Amino acid sequence: NNEKRKEKSRDAARCRRSRETEIFQDLASLLPMRPEEVEHLDKASVMRLSIAFLKARKMLELFPDFQSEEQIAIKEDNDVSMDSMEEFRYNEAKLSLKSLGLDPETIALQTLDGFLIILSADGDVTYISENVNEYLGISQIDIMGQPIWDYSHQCDHDELREALNGRHHSPSELLNGVANSDCRPMENRDFFLRLKCTLTSRGRSVNIKSASYKVLHVTGHIACKDKEGQRQLVAIARPLPHPANIEVPLGSSTFLTQHTLGMKFSYVDDIMLSLLGYQPSDLLGKSLYDCHHGTDAEHLMSTFKHGK
């Protein structure tokens, strides 16, 4: 009898696990993601992404003017007024892009010099665009539904909370009935944020535990519904260029030259003609030592040795 009960218990557990696996597979197949990305997800990731996409869908209610392709298709079948010029131009532009083999969503992401990020008032990542991988080395799957606090620098948390929830009012303002959670739609946000980046300077990817921080310029606005208390930060995050890569504009009386290790001219600025009367062809391949004054030789050697 004991053996039979144990066998029944094992069968029931096996059946329950099998049913649970089927449910998670069905749930994963409903995610708006590529099949090759879904098949590697564990159960916890499937649950996290399912909740994240449900929150993203609810977030769209903050934008009443937004219409999905399905809603537009329904309107086209039932409403004769869809022949307006605006709708015609929209459909014509979309067909033109598709005829060229271009995806409108991909084009939109390429026009950004950063990535789209939407954060809830609690700091959860409601949505982040797929091209985040190009800037941070972290995939969209890994960060969606996660708290932004796990990826941002600890010293930026206070400023980020203020950006998400607004400025905390003084006691006198609170006594006058002004609440910290007052909903002010389209309120602009502009701040800097450090997020983890797994990309190295050579373009390689490292483990998230060894990640460094990249400075991002975050600009966007608050979208909210006063009655429901729903609040989202919709923003574009743009990485700041490294100081070494920033080109400093030169003055009108300054010229630029490049040299080989033997100090022969390899590049000559065109402005040299107006400043010194040299054409680039006059100096290219010629040594700098053939051009400087003899009394400057000591200063030139000191500059090479000491860098000043």
Side-chain angles (χ1 to χ4, degrees), residues 107-161:
I107 294 296
L109 289 178
Q110 289 176 351
T111 57
L112 300 176
D113 51 352
F115 55 89
L116 172 68
I117 183 169
I118 301 176
L119 300 174
S120 68
D122 297 327
D124 293 332
V125 181
T126 304
Y127 180 79
I128 195 165
S129 57
E130 194 174 356
N131 64 338
V132 64
N133 186 56
E134 301 174 14
Y135 297 96
L136 301 181
I138 304 172
S139 67
Q140 181 191 44
I141 296 176
D142 292 335
I143 196 171
M144 266 195 68
Q146 300 277 24
I148 194 64
W149 319 111
D150 294 346
Y151 294 89
S152 58
H153 197 283
Q154 189 173 3
C155 296
D156 297 336
H157 287 183
D158 290 340
E159 185 178 1
L160 182 55
R161 285 193 187 93

Side-chain angles (χ1 to χ4, degrees), residues 53-62 225 228 230:
F53 278 112
L54 286 173
K55 288 182 177 179
R57 185 175 179 179
K58 184 172 180 58
M59 177 268 301
L60 294 178
E61 297 176 3
L62 298 175
K225 274 189 176 180
E228 300 181 10
Q230 191 180 356

Side-chain angles (χ1 to χ4, degrees), residues 5-246:
R5 282 198 298 268
K6 289 180 181 179
E7 184 65 27
K8 285 183 179 180
S9 178
R10 283 194 293 267
D11 289 341
R14 193 180 300 112
C15 182
R16 186 172 60 252
R17 287 195 299 270
S18 177
R19 179 59 183 153
E20 183 182 276
T21 302
E22 290 178 5
I23 292 173
F24 273 99
Q25 287 176 346
D26 292 341
L27 185 60
S29 66
L30 297 175
L31 292 173
M33 297 163 57
R34 291 188 291 270
E36 58 269 21
E37 295 175 333
V38 173
E39 64 183 10
H40 298 296
L41 296 176
D42 56 20
K43 294 178 181 179
S45 297
V46 171
M47 286 296 296
R48 171 175 57 83
L49 289 170
S50 300
I51 294 171
F53 278 112
L54 286 173
K55 288 182 177 179
R57 185 175 179 179
K58 184 172 180 58
M59 177 268 301
L60 294 178
E61 297 176 3
L62 298 175
F63 307 95
D65 295 334
F66 174 83
Q67 289 183 324
S68 64
E69 292 184 2
E70 291 81 2
Q71 290 172 320
I72 292 174
I74 292 171
K75 256 193 168 184
E76 286 176 344
D77 293 337
N78 301 329
D79 193 351
V80 185
S81 63
M82 290 297 292
D83 295 332
S84 64
M85 205 58 165
E86 186 178 349
E87 295 291 344
F88 175 76
R89 288 174 180 169
Y90 170 79
N91 292 327
E92 188 179 32
K94 198 168 184 180
L95 288 172
S96 299
L97 288 173
K98 287 187 176 180
S99 65
L100 295 172
L102 301 174
D103 181 24
E105 293 182 5
T106 305
I107 294 296
L109 289 178
Q110 289 176 351
T111 57
L112 300 176
D113 51 352
F115 55 89
L116 172 68
I117 183 169
I118 301 176
L119 300 174
S120 68
D122 297 327
D124 293 332
V125 181
T126 304
Y127 180 79
I128 195 165
S129 57
E130 194 174 356
N131 64 338
V132 64
N133 186 56
E134 301 174 14
Y135 297 96
L136 301 181
I138 304 172
S139 67
Q140 181 191 44
I141 296 176
D142 292 335
I143 196 171
M144 266 195 68
Q146 300 277 24
I148 194 64
W149 319 111
D150 294 346
Y151 294 89
S152 58
H153 197 283
Q154 189 173 3
C155 296
D156 297 336
H157 287 183
D158 290 340
E159 185 178 1
L160 182 55
R161 285 193 187 93
E162 187 176 333
L164 294 174
N165 298 297
R167 181 179 65 86
H168 286 272
H169 299 284
S170 63
S172 60
E173 289 176 319
L174 294 174
L175 288 174
N176 292 330
V178 179
N180 284 325
S181 59
D182 279 351
C183 180
R184 292 186 288 263
M186 304 304 291
E187 187 177 5
N188 292 332
R189 291 289 185 266
D190 190 333
F191 59 96
F192 294 96
L193 179 67
R194 284 167 286 186
L195 290 182
K196 287 182 178 180
C197 177
T198 60
L199 295 176
T200 64
S201 57
R202 297 183 178 180
R204 297 178 181 175
S205 185
V206 298
N207 189 279
I208 189 68
K209 294 180 180 179
S210 306
S212 57
Y213 285 95
K214 177 175 283 190
V215 182
L216 302 169
H217 184 200
V218 182
T219 56
H221 66 271
I222 295 293
C224 59
K225 274 189 176 180
D226 199 5
K227 294 181 180 179
E228 300 181 10
Q230 191 180 356
R231 185 185 184 94
Q232 301 280 346
L233 170 65
V234 183
I236 302 295
R238 300 177 177 88
L240 292 183
H242 192 276
N245 298 330
I246 299 176

Side-chain angles (χ1 to χ4, degrees), residues 296-308:
D296 294 332
E298 186 177 346
H299 177 69
L300 195 61
M301 293 302 297
S302 176
T303 304
F304 290 156
K305 288 182 179 179
H306 307 292
K308 59 180 180 178

